[in-house]
Amino acid sequence: MVDADVEFFAHYRHRVPRTWGRGRATVLGDAAHTMPPTMAQGANQALEDAWTLAGALRRTPGAAGIPQALTHYERSRSRRASLTARRAGPETTNKYLPTLFRMMPDALLSRYYTRRLRLVSTYLSDGPKRTTPVSR
């Protein structure tokens, strides 16, 4: 491979739709919401989608309830996926943070990251509200 073989592929952003499917069909991951590469959230958000979709289907009593389960999954994920896409969008997301974080105590930094993740993570939002400091 030579440098000429590598091309720049622009990332196309779009507003995350509230509805991702219809009836007994839905999508997840990049098919539902593209994520800019800035904060490496594409795979993370797809896993969140899968986790939430599995939980919604697990609580469904029978085949007749599948459309409602899919609607619940879409509604519970669309807001968080949209928030993540908006936060990851600007290329300046991590421009000054590394310098600031080196000056912060570990306990404060752990609290910051945990609160930020709870805003975009369905999994963490249901978890314990207290965290223990993580050493760097």
Side-chain angles (χ1 to χ4, degrees), residues 107 110-111 114 130-134:
S110 293
R111 208 168 321 149
T114 303
R130 304 194 117 244
T131 61
T132 56
V134 177

Side-chain angles (χ1 to χ4, degrees), residues 1-9:
M1 180 191 289
V2 294
D3 286 342
D5 294 336
V6 180
E7 296 180 33
F8 173 76
F9 294 96

Side-chain angles (χ1 to χ4, degrees), residues 45 48 77 80 83-84 116-122:
Q45 293 303 308
E48 290 279 342
R77 285 294 302 144
R80 290 177 189 270
L83 177 63
T84 304
R116 185 174 174 149
L117 285 172
R118 280 199 176 109
L119 291 174
V120 296
S121 170
T122 306

Side-chain angles (χ1 to χ4, degrees), residues 99-118:
T99 302
L100 292 173
F101 285 167
R102 280 195 292 275
M103 296 185 284
M104 294 174 69
D106 288 343
L108 183 61
L109 190 58
S110 293
R111 208 168 321 149
Y112 166 79
Y113 275 128
T114 303
R115 286 186 181 173
R116 185 174 174 149
L117 285 172
R118 280 199 176 109

Side-chain angles (χ1 to χ4, degrees), residues 32-104:
H33 47 72
T34 61
M35 289 290 153
T38 309
M39 294 175 59
Q41 284 295 307
N44 293 335
Q45 293 303 308
L47 289 170
E48 290 279 342
D49 290 349
W51 185 271
T52 305
L53 178 58
L57 292 173
R58 192 177 310 116
R59 290 185 299 274
T60 303
I66 289 177
Q68 290 81 15
L70 297 181
T71 299
H72 173 74
Y73 147 72
E74 292 170 9
R75 287 188 180 153
S76 64
R77 285 294 302 144
S78 65
R79 182 188 297 166
R80 290 177 189 270
S82 180
L83 177 63
T84 304
R86 282 195 316 268
R87 287 189 177 203
E91 293 299 321
T92 59
T93 302
N94 295 319
K95 188 174 182 179
Y96 301 109
L97 292 179
T99 302
L100 292 173
F101 285 167
R102 280 195 292 275
M103 296 185 284
M104 294 174 69

